[in-house]
């Protein structure tokens, strides 16, 4: 069940920009129209003349929030409207505040500017793009090249070799809920209503920008809608909005227009993958090399972590992963659902499929033959790895045994070419430090305040179900508070660690709550009676750490910084796993591709909330199909991002989605945490695009090394 489903469908759930406050003003942004250069003049006269306009501002004295992956709090280190440098097309150059959103938008569009343009580069191979070796540019151990054995020599001596380059385009998350929020000052306290995955980073980032005490800032994000990584840190519009709100003495709202979200939030960067495999005649993979070029911005180095997952996929005796960063003139790219894992698996799992064809072996059998219980990189055991079970169960549910391995050999009744493809995927098991407060009251209710953000994944449901099952109370008697800095730290929720972070903290809190209620360690509890005996509400607060984490990281979390551990822990390595089986049908004349059915089986440890878990997998599969057949952010050497609306950036719609069957291995991983849960939200997407591509090859006999696969590519 979804404990907040009624609130969502009835409109009671309020998102960041839903609030309408007394005397609220409305803001809009004007954006730069060059790809790089200097801003020499901004003409705001026409904007100021629009009826209802309260002010127009082009320059702010704001400190940089710092890049979240560089020890800061923002999605990028560059704060627009603090200087005259234009780093990318679409960078804000002015902000308008008006009595209503229509006037604000009209005024923003009336602003003109003069520039001193400079040459700019947008693509990985553009003239002027700068390529850096990641381990040299960011000398941190976890970002270094992975080197196990001598894969070059092993591949050179292997009787079967695969060597191909795969390209993945830039993509934008385009969540239904636009970026935006409401700010208001109550005395010296700044209150921010913002749809964010990281309320504490917003809080501390704003404090740094404004030069005020973080204790004077409250961030409230009970619901944020779609985040998908784009809302994982401080966005660049909130600082200026807070300044103008104080200046005007009234609350302000800003909601970015859809095209503006393409420039003023992070995106999945373009990547190029060279995969080399060496195998024996049976298809046993002896060595693998994965080399990646990934786009980044000029002002930040967005780290690549592609080879972290591909290096763990099979039982390699030798592996090398090299990652390079290509600086281009864009805003800083960032995290978009399965940010590295989905592009990497599109490349690697196609290469594995090509290997299966080369040795004449069934793709499922070949993957099973290359399974391992030991991490090839560290030599440590996996805390759990049931990908073989995922493959076997998925093959049975899909009816894989009826597959004719010959490409173009299967036809539907209408003459369409039928293709069946398979791919596996993995995602690192990460966890963050967390704080949980549980309060039992005389009415028998238990209120849980814990680090976490509700972004559609159902974290409230998972927590409420866990508490209700542990205490034997109705789910309706559990109140969950997340996303509010007044009730907890609110560390970043991302990387599929939300449930694996929150539930262990809640679990520890329940153990302490039982002690204070003076009840047994297990079994049903009459909460109201126990509180009545205590004579007052009973409250406990606990801290939770990941395996091997030092208590020092609690200070990091409470100061708005990242406090993450994994996937390598003392004595073991943790990943979630999945297998996707996909059927495609290719219409023989137009070559239109449809996906009538998918079977996906996941190993995510214990399934904490079956309904929300199945929804997560279906959503991830839909994303994977979209990545394979639809999504691409087009970049023009003259104008930057081109297709910045949902009319021109095609995403999956209901008519594209057919049958998606989901199953789970549902084996708890108690080595990872006492609740036995692992991440699910992002592994659900990993490998899905590869399975589609493999199915298209089976249907047509043509291999596609670049996404998306369009009609003209099949024709």
């Amino acid at each position: 069940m979804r404990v907040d489903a009624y609130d969502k469908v009835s409109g009671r759930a309020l998102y960041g920009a839903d609030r309408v406050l007394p005397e609220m003003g409305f803001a809009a942004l004007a954006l730069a129209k060059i790809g790089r250069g200097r801003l020499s003049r901004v003409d705001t006269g026409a904007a100021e003349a629009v009826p209802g306009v309260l002010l127009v501002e082009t320059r702010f004295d704001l400190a940089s929030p710092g890049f979240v992956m560089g020890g800061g709090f923002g999605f990028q280190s560059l704060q627009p409207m603090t200087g005259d440098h234009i780093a990318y097309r679409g960078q804000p150059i002015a902000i308008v505040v008006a009595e209503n959103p229509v006037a604000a938008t009209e005024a923003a569009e009336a602003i003109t500017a003069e520039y001193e343009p400079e040459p700019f580069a947008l693509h990985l191979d553009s003239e002027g793009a700068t390529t850096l070796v990641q381990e040299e540019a960011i000398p941190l151990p976890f970002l270094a090249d992975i080197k196990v054995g001598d894969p070059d020599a092993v591949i050179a001596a292997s009787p079967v070799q695969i060597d191909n380059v795969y390209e993945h385009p830039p993509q934008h998350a385009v969540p239904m809920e636009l970026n935006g929020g409401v700010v208001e000052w109550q005395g010296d306290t700044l209150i921010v209503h913002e749809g964010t995955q990281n309320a504490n980073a917003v809080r501390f980032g704003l404090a740094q920008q404004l030069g005020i005490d973080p204790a004077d800032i409250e961030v409230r994000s009970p619901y944020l809608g779609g985040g998908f990584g784009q809302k994982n840190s401080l966005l660049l519009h909130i600082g200026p909005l807070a300044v103008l709100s104080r200046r005007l003495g009234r609350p302000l709202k800003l909601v970015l227009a859809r095209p503006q979200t393409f420039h003023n939030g992070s995106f999945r960067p373009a990547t190029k993958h060279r995969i080399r495999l060496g195998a024996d005649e049976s298809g046993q993979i002896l060595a693998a090399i994965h080399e990646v070029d990934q786009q980044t911005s000029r002002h930040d180095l967005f780290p690549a972590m592609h080879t972290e997952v591909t290096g763990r996929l099979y039982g390699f005796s030798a592996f090398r992963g090299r990652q390079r960063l290509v600086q281009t003139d864009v805003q800083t790219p960032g995290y978009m659902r399965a940010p590295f894992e989905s592009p990497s698996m599109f490349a690697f799992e196609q290469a594995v499929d090509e290997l299966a064809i080369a040795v004449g072996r069934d793709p499922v059998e070949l993957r099973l033959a290359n399974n391992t219980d030991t991490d090839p990189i560290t030599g440590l055991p996996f805390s759990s790895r049931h990908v073989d079970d995922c493959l076997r169960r998925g093959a049975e549910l899909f009816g894989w045994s009826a597959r004719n391995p010959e490409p173009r050999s299967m036809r539907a009744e209408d003459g369409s070419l039928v293709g069946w493809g398979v791919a596996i995927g993995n995602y690192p098991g990460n966890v963050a430090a967390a704080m949980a407060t549980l309060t039992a009251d005389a009415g028998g209710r238990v209120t849980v305040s814990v680090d976490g953000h509700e972004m559609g994944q159902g974290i409230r449901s998972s927590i409420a179900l866990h508490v209700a099952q542990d205490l034997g109370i109705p789910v309706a008697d559990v109140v969950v508070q997340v996303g509010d800095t007044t009730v907890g730290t609110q560390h970043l929720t991302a990387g599929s660690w939300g449930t694996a972070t929150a539930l262990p903290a809640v679990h520890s809190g329940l153990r302490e709550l039982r002690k204070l209620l003076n009840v047994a360690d297990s079994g049903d509890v009459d909460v109201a009676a126990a509180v009545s005996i205590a004579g007052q509400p009973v409250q406990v607060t606990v801290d939770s750490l990941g395996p091997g984490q030092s208590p020092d990281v609690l200070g990091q979390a409470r100061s708005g910084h990242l406090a993450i551990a994994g996937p390598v822990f003392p004595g073991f390595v943790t990943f979630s796993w999945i297998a996707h089986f996909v059927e495609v049908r290719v219409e023989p004349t137009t070559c239109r591709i449809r996906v009538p059915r998918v079977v996906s089986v996941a190993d995510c440890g214990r399934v904490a909330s079956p309904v929300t878990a199945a929804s997560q997998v279906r959503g991830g599969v839909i994303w994977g199909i979209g990545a394979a057949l639809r999504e691409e952010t087009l970049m023009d050497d003259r104008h930057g991002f081109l297709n910045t609306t949902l009319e021109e950036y095609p995403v999956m719609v209901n008519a594209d989605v057919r049958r998606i069957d989901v199953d789970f291995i549902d084996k708890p991983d108690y080595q990872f945490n006492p609740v036995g849960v692992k991440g699910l939200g992002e592994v659900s997407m990993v490998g899905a695009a590869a399975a589609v591509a493999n199915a298209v090859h089976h249907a047509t006999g043509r291999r596609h090394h670049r996404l998306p696969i369009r009609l003209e590519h099949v024709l």
Side-chain angles (χ1 to χ4, degrees):
M1 65 174 293
R2 295 294 293 259
V3 300
D4 49 10
Y6 182 80
D7 286 347
K8 288 182 175 180
V9 300
S10 65
R12 293 176 58 188
L14 292 180
Y15 296 80
D18 284 346
R19 286 153 181 82
V20 179
L21 303 176
E23 300 184 2
M24 187 165 69
F26 297 84
L29 296 172
L31 308 182
K33 297 182 179 180
I34 63 168
R36 182 181 178 185
R38 296 286 169 185
L39 181 64
S40 56
R41 180 173 178 270
V42 181
D43 186 348
T44 62
E48 292 165 344
V50 172
V53 168
L54 300 173
L55 61 79
V56 181
E57 185 58 79
T58 62
R59 192 63 60 91
F60 291 87
D61 182 18
L62 287 170
S64 167
F67 178 37
V68 68
M69 291 304 293
F73 307 99
F75 95 86
Q76 66 177 13
S77 61
L78 175 65
Q79 174 61 51
M81 296 182 287
T82 58
D84 60 1
H85 174 59
I86 301 299
Y88 53 89
R89 185 179 181 90
Q91 177 180 321
I93 60 172
I95 184 170
V96 176
V97 179
E99 295 285 1
N100 59 74
V102 174
T105 301
E106 179 184 346
E109 292 176 349
I111 292 174
T112 59
E114 296 176 4
Y115 307 94
E116 299 172 15
E118 299 172 6
F120 61 98
L122 295 175
H123 302 280
L124 292 174
D125 56 357
S126 291
E127 182 180 353
T130 304
T131 301
L132 306 171
V133 176
Q134 177 167 282
E135 69 174 359
E136 298 173 358
I138 315 175
L140 296 173
F142 75 100
L143 296 177
D145 288 353
I146 298 173
K147 302 162 189 171
V148 178
D150 188 353
D152 294 273
V154 174
I155 291 173
S158 297
V160 182
Q161 300 177 25
I162 302 294
D163 186 349
N164 284 312
V165 174
Y166 307 82
E167 297 180 64
H168 197 285
Q171 297 172 332
H172 277 75
V174 292
M176 183 184 298
E177 295 79 14
L178 295 163
N179 296 341
V182 174
V183 302
E184 59 174 319
W185 290 87
Q186 294 183 3
D188 290 329
T189 299
L190 172 63
I191 299 175
V192 180
H193 305 280
E194 168 82 350
T196 180
Q197 299 170 232
N198 196 349
N200 220 28
V202 172
R203 180 185 178 213
F204 279 86
L206 280 174
Q208 179 171 300
Q209 286 200 286
L210 302 173
I212 63 177
D213 191 331
D216 292 331
I217 300 176
E218 298 175 5
V219 181
R220 301 173 184 175
S221 183
Y223 296 92
L224 67 102
F228 313 123
Q230 189 184 73
K231 301 175 182 178
N232 75 350
S233 45
L234 176 62
L235 297 176
L236 50 79
H237 58 276
I238 295 296
L241 204 63
V243 171
L244 298 183
S245 174
R246 185 156 219 179
R247 186 185 303 175
L248 291 170
R250 58 197 297 180
L252 298 181
K253 175 188 289 191
L254 173 62
V255 179
L256 300 183
R258 177 65 69 187
Q260 293 177 336
T261 65
F262 278 75
H263 301 284
N264 295 286
S266 59
F267 64 100
R268 193 197 306 276
T271 50
K272 184 181 293 186
H273 306 255
R274 183 186 179 192
I275 306 294
R276 297 170 60 193
L277 303 178
D280 64 19
E281 292 88 346
S282 71
Q284 192 70 38
I285 305 175
L286 307 174
I289 297 174
H290 184 184
E291 299 175 324
V292 186
D293 287 351
Q294 175 183 283
Q295 177 183 31
T296 189
S297 68
R298 301 278 186 189
H299 42 278
D300 296 309
L301 298 179
F302 174 57
M305 300 179 72
H306 299 266
T307 59
E308 176 186 56
V309 288
T310 53
R312 266 80 182 220
L313 206 55
Y314 297 105
F316 314 116
S317 61
F319 179 86
R320 178 163 57 82
R322 185 220 64 184
Q323 299 177 119
R324 302 195 304 176
L325 302 177
V326 183
Q327 293 180 295
T328 58
D329 298 297
V330 295
Q331 76 268 30
T332 301
Y335 298 93
M336 174 175 159
R337 195 174 193 175
F340 316 109
E341 298 78 13
S342 183
S344 298
M345 221 54 64
F346 157 70
F348 206 94
E349 278 294 274
Q350 275 211 91
V352 171
D353 213 60
E354 293 173 70
L355 174 63
I357 293 171
V359 299
R361 193 164 185 182
D362 178 80
V364 173
E365 291 180 0
L366 183 136
R367 287 171 169 84
L368 288 170
N370 283 281
N371 193 25
T372 177
D373 291 326
T374 302
D375 174 26
I377 295 174
T378 65
L380 296 171
F382 290 109
S383 59
S384 62
R385 176 184 164 116
H386 303 295
V387 68
D388 53 344
D389 293 335
C390 294
L391 281 165
R392 292 190 180 98
R393 188 176 299 179
E396 180 182 356
L397 293 171
F398 191 80
W400 184 261
S401 61
R403 178 182 186 264
N404 186 328
E406 189 67 26
R408 301 181 62 88
S409 63
M410 298 174 67
R411 295 266 181 170
E413 292 182 359
D414 64 357
S416 294
L417 295 163
V418 176
W420 288 4
V422 63
I424 65 172
N426 61 352
Y427 194 89
N430 294 320
V431 64
M435 181 182 74
T437 298
L438 283 71
T439 306
D441 65 29
R445 295 193 311 171
V446 176
T447 300
V448 181
S449 303
V450 65
D451 290 348
H453 298 77
E454 168 53 45
M455 48 191 179
Q457 85 280 37
I459 195 170
R460 279 192 180 85
S461 297
S462 296
I463 294 169
L465 284 171
H466 184 72
V467 173
Q469 291 169 358
D470 186 282
L471 299 176
I473 63 176
V475 172
D477 286 344
V478 183
V479 178
V480 180
Q481 298 175 330
V482 292
D484 189 333
T485 59
T486 64
V487 299
T489 300
Q490 305 312 324
H491 182 277
L492 169 64
T493 302
S496 295
W497 64 64
T499 300
T501 294
L503 281 194
V506 173
H507 183 78
S508 296
L510 285 167
R511 309 279 69 75
E512 295 301 314
L513 184 65
R514 283 176 172 273
K515 291 177 184 177
L516 289 185
L517 289 174
N518 197 27
V519 297
D521 292 340
S522 62
D524 293 353
V525 177
D526 186 335
V527 174
V531 172
S532 177
I533 293 171
Q536 60 183 359
V538 176
Q539 184 176 90
V540 298
T541 297
V542 298
D543 294 321
S544 176
L545 298 169
Q549 272 192 309
S550 166
D552 294 343
V553 301
L554 292 167
Q556 290 176 226
R558 288 166 185 161
S559 61
H561 294 290
L562 301 180
I564 308 161
V568 179
F569 299 97
F572 64 91
V573 176
T574 298
F575 278 79
S576 294
W577 310 88
I578 199 164
H580 299 286
F581 292 79
V582 170
E583 177 180 314
V584 302
R585 298 199 177 189
V586 182
E587 201 278 330
T589 53
T590 66
C591 290
R592 182 185 67 183
I593 303 171
R594 290 289 184 264
V595 182
R597 67 187 184 108
V598 178
V599 170
S600 299
V601 182
D603 165 27
C604 60
R606 174 192 158 212
V607 179
S609 174
V611 172
T612 57
S615 296
Q616 282 288 291
V617 175
R618 289 191 177 93
V621 168
I622 291 167
W623 273 59
I625 299 171
L629 304 178
R630 300 281 189 274
E631 292 187 50
E632 177 181 14
T633 302
L634 298 171
M635 303 181 76
D636 183 87
D637 286 323
R638 299 161 298 169
H639 304 297
F641 296 137
L642 286 181
N643 53 331
T644 59
T645 66
L646 287 179
E647 292 89 349
E648 296 181 321
Y649 184 93
V651 298
M652 297 288 286
V653 298
N654 286 349
D656 298 317
V657 180
R658 305 296 175 88
R659 180 174 176 177
I660 302 174
D661 293 324
V662 177
D663 202 0
F664 299 97
I665 302 304
D666 199 14
K667 293 182 180 179
D669 187 338
Y670 291 122
Q671 191 169 16
F672 185 39
N673 59 59
V675 185
V677 296
K678 299 192 291 186
L680 177 63
E682 290 174 275
V683 76
S684 60
M685 179 183 182
V686 182
V692 173
N694 291 337
V696 170
H697 173 268
H698 181 234
T700 65
R702 180 171 295 179
R703 180 68 63 178
H704 300 278
H705 288 168
R706 189 187 187 282
L707 293 185
I709 302 170
R710 301 192 188 280
L711 296 180
E712 60 267 28
H713 302 149
V714 181
L715 285 166

